[in-house]
Amino acid sequence: MDDVLPSADVLAVFDADPQGWAFARAVRTAGTGEIEDFELLYLNDAGARYLERPRAELIGGRYRRLWPDTVNDATMPLYRKVVDGREPVSRTVYYDRPSVSGHFELWIGPSGDGFVVRFVDLRSVTLGPQSAGGTRLYDVLDAAFDGFTLLRATGGDFTCEYVNRLGAALTGRSVEETIGRRWSDLAGADEHGLGERWRQVLETGRPWRGQLRYADAGQVWEVSAARAGTDAVAVSFRDVTGQAHQQERIEQSGAAARRAAARTAALQAVTSALVAASTTADVYAAIGAVLRPSAGGQGLALLLRRGPSLALEYHAGYEPQVVARLREVPLTHPYPATDVARTGRPRYLSSLAEFVAAQAGGPGDPMPSGGRQAWAFLPLAVGGDVLGTLVVGYGAPRDFDDDERANLAAFAGLCAQALQRALLFEAQASIAGELQQALLPAALPEIPGLRHAARYLPWTRGADVGGDWYDVIPLGPGVVGVVIGDVVGHNATAAAVMGQVRNALRAYAAERHSPAVVMQRVNRLLLDLQPDAVATCCYLELHLTEGTATAVVAGHPPPILRAGGHVETLALRTGPPLGVTAEAGLSFTETTFLVPAGANLVLYTDGLVEDRRYHLDRGLAELRSAVLEAPSADPADLLSHVLSAGVGPRPRTDDVALVCLLVEAGGGPGQCAQRRFRGDAVSASAARRFAADVLTAWGERDLVDDTLLLLDEVVTNAIQHTVGAVHVRLDLGPSRLRVSVEDRSERLPNPRPAGAEAENGRGLLIVSSLAAAWGTDAIAGGGKEVWFEIARLSPGPAED
């Protein structure tokens, strides 16, 4: 044991560490000496918390007995490799087993005839549990162009809860060495007072951005910080030493006094124009408007590296025939721009003869001069990376002195920096957009009798992502679920929560739970996984063949229905948003309504119709008007009309998701409606609401009271004497309403006299007294159907 465990004072350090630590001794087979198991010798308190088992229960136990359901995975061989090979390794593992559950990042190193392991519980990272969406978020952050870390306030300091791989590498540490460490330990002397900066960002909510110089290390860093939640700060950072040094060289380059003012003014004009540019289109516009006249050229072309070629991205002042040749130039071509892009060294040609000589003897036809007599080929280089070549052409021969060459190099350097920023910005925006699309359905399923279309309009810029989502879920023949929702926030956590909620709702819906039960279970899951998250949601279960829908709403705007030339905002029963409360007895209440053939349903998130400046009633009125005036019922055309009709606030301040449905199949009054309910006490009230909604929609209000009284007795009787779901069906005939309740019990109802003091026994007597007829039929395969009929006071038209 002594050859594995360190001294007691070292173990005391491990005891105080917020991350898990464990030491284990190899158990070897007699004779061969091969490792057959490991005995746990030490585990700190943090490790016991992560493993959710007492230390006393674990220490002294062997791996195969403590975690038998993980023996056959790659963990045991990994431990053997560390002990025998004496080389530390890192590994991320995810367990959902009876003996261990969690997502851990492990560092394993040799210790005597055994090993020491440090494990970080990734569930403590702000991005939350590793759902499918969460995994994509980790991948996106690890692939980001900047270092990124999340610091949570802890007792006057900050603790690193997450750092991406680039961030750890830029600070000279590994991820394992960084996560869980305090800022005061990571920053050392903190010469720029960043700890105080983090506190100011957290207290005021105002983002901070700055460029920091570290003279001892010869480095310059660009740092941005923003508040993340109520007690954390998100920090991104980038090493801009190369750009800063280049800028310093430009600023320090000497020049003759008579030309210094003009050169400075030109540089300032170019800098101002390029600093204001945030996209590549902005950069190209600034180049054409400011850089070209400042450089004095009659023609300008910007070519970027694209694989084995240079591609023309921008041009000004060049003839069409020259532009056509510059569209794509192989890097093997002798055109001087290709040599500059390969080497990063500028080239200056003072005459047409030099231009012709530079291309002589090379492969391919030479590039035409286009009437120019001199050229400056300038590398677009940032931090040693050459993005491409900037070409400035002149209409007359020209000698390029040292001052002009320095000036042109400065122009190209500024252009390259602005272009790199724009390319990174657009790449990050693309990552955010791809992530958002990855979390949304790639394609909505084809549903017979239903046409649909969806739109997602992101509002945020850069790497922010929103939490709006939608889905269409096939649930069986003629039945489909449609959902739209919105997780509060515009950040990685909101997107991760959105992915979790969407996947959970799809799973619960596929199990054919009722809409209210689906919403209750999603609410409970959200409270367990992300207690601080809040989401709104509207879920519809459409029954296409009978022309009905059952909806449940959790704090979300209600759908819009267009049918028969009329448009209305559906009056649905509304519950609280998801994640707001877990109070006992909380339930989400369903509403059933008719959806006739040819009707459109429009579901949307609140960013379409309201913000803090724009009242919801105004936005809904505009939406109803746009839906009514849409010239086509086709879902895609209708959504295009809504988005072009100026609905809601302008400019938008939130993401928007929309789904439009066109019900091609459908029943009508005089047909039937049916639903499946769980065999529990609350199902009786849910069945009554369903029947009341359907009868009201059919215009049979006179039947509601008697129907609900008799249905309550029959459903309650079924729930008391069966296990499993009950099935309620309403059939409206020309003279009678027939209501049937099916269950899986073979026990038949047995009316019996009830004494004066009896609390039950009168249900079937009530049914027998009020119903025009009632009875019981056996169901093939087991179970029974109890039915009753009520006469219509105003008989409808005869059935076909």
Side-chain angles (χ1 to χ4, degrees):
M1 184 180 301
D2 292 338
D3 61 346
V4 175
L5 289 179
S7 61
D9 56 343
V10 174
L11 287 179
V13 175
F14 289 127
D15 286 337
D17 197 292
Q19 303 302 334
W21 286 91
F23 286 82
R25 177 181 62 84
V27 178
R28 299 183 179 272
T29 304
T32 64
E34 294 183 354
I35 297 176
E36 64 177 17
D37 206 343
F38 290 95
E39 179 184 356
L40 184 64
L41 303 180
Y42 168 82
L43 179 69
N44 67 353
D45 288 337
R49 287 196 306 273
Y50 292 160
L51 298 175
E52 298 180 345
R53 296 168 70 178
R55 295 173 67 180
E57 177 183 316
L58 298 173
I59 294 177
R62 295 194 175 186
Y63 187 94
R64 293 180 180 274
R65 179 180 64 81
L66 295 175
W67 299 286
D69 43 14
T70 69
V71 169
N72 294 325
D73 67 12
T75 306
M76 179 76 81
L78 185 66
Y79 292 153
R80 292 194 188 100
K81 180 180 178 181
V82 170
V83 176
D84 293 337
R86 315 307 294 172
E87 291 290 337
V89 298
S90 297
R91 182 189 180 198
T92 298
V93 296
Y94 179 82
Y95 287 123
D96 188 9
R97 310 280 178 81
S99 64
V100 60
S101 174
H103 192 174
F104 303 104
E105 189 171 65
L106 307 179
W107 177 88
I108 311 164
S111 180
D113 191 24
F115 66 85
V116 56
V117 57
R118 177 178 186 260
F119 47 102
V120 178
D121 185 358
L122 295 182
R123 291 175 300 183
S124 63
V125 177
T126 291
L127 295 182
Q130 293 292 291
S131 65
T135 299
R136 284 192 286 271
L137 286 171
Y138 283 128
D139 293 340
V140 167
L141 289 175
D142 282 337
F145 295 98
D146 290 350
F148 176 83
T149 185
L150 189 79
L151 305 172
R152 188 169 300 279
T154 51
D157 202 345
F158 289 86
T159 299
C160 177
E161 287 205 350
Y162 174 77
V163 66
N164 64 355
R165 293 189 179 95
L166 179 59
L170 288 174
T171 58
R173 297 180 176 87
S174 68
V175 173
E176 295 86 354
E177 293 171 333
T178 307
I179 290 179
R181 297 281 298 278
R182 289 182 174 269
W183 171 253
S184 56
D185 297 330
L186 295 171
D190 193 9
E191 60 184 273
H192 293 287
L194 291 178
E196 182 59 31
R197 292 280 189 187
W198 310 152
R199 278 186 283 274
Q200 291 175 4
V201 169
L202 189 61
E203 292 171 359
T204 65
R206 292 193 296 272
W208 174 81
R209 183 174 182 175
Q211 193 174 89
L212 308 178
R213 294 178 177 270
Y214 294 88
D216 293 343
Q219 292 180 321
V220 182
W221 294 81
E222 188 176 85
V223 182
S224 299
R227 188 165 66 185
T230 59
D231 62 347
V233 176
V235 182
S236 63
F237 46 96
R238 180 191 306 168
D239 186 349
V240 294
T241 305
Q243 298 94 308
H245 288 175
Q246 184 180 24
Q247 186 65 32
E248 290 172 358
R249 288 193 296 270
I250 293 172
E251 294 173 353
Q252 295 172 0
S253 59
R258 58 185 176 82
R259 305 180 62 180
R263 184 169 61 254
T264 300
L267 283 173
Q268 288 176 343
V270 173
T271 300
S272 298
L274 292 177
V275 165
S278 59
T279 67
T280 52
D282 295 338
V283 173
Y284 300 150
I287 289 173
V290 180
L291 192 149
R292 181 186 172 201
S294 298
Q298 284 73 49
L300 189 145
L302 189 149
L303 301 99
L304 295 184
R305 298 191 64 155
R306 294 285 186 267
S309 303
L310 285 178
L312 181 65
E313 297 294 334
Y314 173 79
H315 64 90
Y318 271 89
E319 297 78 5
Q321 66 272 22
V322 179
V323 171
R325 291 291 308 278
L326 291 176
R327 290 292 181 194
E328 184 174 354
V329 184
L331 287 171
T332 55
H333 194 280
Y335 183 55
T338 62
D339 177 64
V340 171
R342 291 193 305 268
T343 65
R345 294 190 296 270
R347 291 187 65 178
Y348 300 92
L349 306 179
S350 298
S351 66
L352 180 59
E354 291 182 13
F355 182 76
V356 172
Q359 300 185 76
D365 295 334
M367 289 290 170
S369 64
R372 267 150 289 284
Q373 300 289 318
W375 292 262
F377 296 91
L378 308 167
L380 297 170
V382 180
D385 183 21
V386 181
L387 305 178
T389 304
L390 179 65
V391 184
V392 183
Y394 300 86
R398 189 183 194 91
D399 290 327
F400 297 92
D401 59 24
D402 291 342
D403 287 346
E404 186 169 12
R405 294 189 181 203
N407 218 27
L408 290 171
F411 287 149
L414 291 171
C415 180
Q417 292 177 34
L419 188 59
Q420 186 198 49
R421 287 195 303 270
L423 291 171
L424 293 182
F425 176 87
E426 291 176 352
Q428 289 174 334
S430 175
I431 290 173
E434 290 175 4
L435 171 61
Q436 184 76 50
Q437 292 302 321
L439 294 174
L440 292 173
L444 297 178
E446 296 292 333
I447 306 293
L450 180 71
R451 292 166 61 189
H452 49 66
R455 297 284 189 274
Y456 173 74
L457 286 72
W459 166 75
T460 52
R461 296 184 176 183
D464 287 340
V465 287
D468 293 29
W469 90 95
Y470 56 83
D471 209 349
V472 175
I473 310 165
L475 299 177
V479 184
V480 59
V482 181
V483 62
I484 194 163
D486 182 6
V487 176
V488 175
H490 293 95
N491 49 45
T493 300
V497 172
M498 180 264 278
Q500 293 167 338
V501 171
R502 172 180 171 260
N503 292 336
L505 191 145
R506 170 175 274 271
Y508 292 140
E511 292 178 352
R512 293 308 306 272
H513 296 293
S514 68
V517 174
V518 168
M519 203 67 77
Q520 290 169 13
R521 294 195 173 194
V522 172
N523 182 63
R524 190 179 308 120
L525 179 69
L526 182 59
L527 288 165
D528 290 341
L529 294 181
Q530 295 285 353
D532 297 329
V534 175
T536 67
C537 183
C538 176
Y539 173 54
L540 303 181
E541 184 180 281
L542 282 167
H543 291 250
L544 299 174
T545 55
E546 65 183 42
T548 66
T550 296
V552 61
V553 177
H556 199 84
I560 301 293
L561 174 67
R562 183 172 88 162
H566 300 282
V567 171
E568 63 175 316
T569 302
L570 292 173
L572 305 179
R573 302 178 181 96
T574 303
L578 300 174
V580 170
T581 179
E583 294 178 2
L586 170 68
S587 62
F588 294 91
T589 307
E590 300 168 348
T591 307
T592 300
F593 56 94
L594 299 184
V595 187
N600 287 115
L601 272 170
V602 179
L603 294 81
Y604 52 95
T605 53
D606 61 351
L608 177 68
V609 293
E610 69 169 338
D611 63 13
R612 288 178 294 180
R613 304 169 289 106
Y614 211 86
H615 197 276
L616 176 62
D617 290 342
R618 178 183 175 188
L620 288 177
E622 293 173 349
L623 177 58
R624 287 192 298 269
S625 177
V627 172
L628 179 62
E629 295 170 0
S632 170
D634 177 76
D637 293 343
L638 193 150
L639 289 184
S640 296
H641 177 80
V642 167
L643 294 175
S644 63
V647 173
R650 289 290 190 278
R652 298 206 185 279
T653 58
D654 198 358
D655 300 343
V656 173
L658 300 98
V659 176
C660 181
L661 311 174
L662 172 60
V663 179
E664 297 179 318
Q671 291 191 340
C672 72
Q674 53 188 333
R675 292 293 186 274
R676 178 176 174 270
F677 299 94
R678 293 189 303 175
D680 55 21
V682 298
S683 293
S685 59
R688 291 196 304 272
R689 278 193 298 271
F690 161 67
D693 288 344
V694 172
L695 291 175
T696 300
W698 281 345
E700 299 292 334
R701 292 180 180 273
D702 293 339
L703 301 179
V704 171
D705 291 341
D706 288 348
T707 300
L708 299 191
L709 176 61
L710 301 186
L711 178 61
D712 185 68
E713 298 294 344
V714 177
V715 170
T716 301
N717 188 66
I719 292 172
Q720 289 176 344
H721 298 103
T722 191
V723 175
V726 295
H727 191 91
V728 177
R729 178 184 176 101
L730 282 68
D731 289 277
L732 186 65
S735 60
R736 291 187 176 187
L737 170 70
R738 179 186 174 96
V739 181
S740 61
V741 178
E742 295 181 4
D743 63 62
R744 306 306 300 171
S745 172
E746 304 289 346
R747 178 176 177 177
L748 300 178
N750 181 26
R752 62 184 186 277
E757 302 299 327
E759 296 182 358
N760 53 33
R762 299 183 178 85
L764 293 178
L765 296 178
I766 295 174
V767 173
S768 178
S769 299
L770 295 181
W774 78 282
T776 303
D777 298 323
I779 300 175
K784 66 178 182 298
E785 175 192 40
V786 179
W787 57 270
F788 62 85
E789 294 181 348
I790 298 177
R792 297 177 65 184
L793 299 181
S794 301
E799 293 179 314
D800 294 337

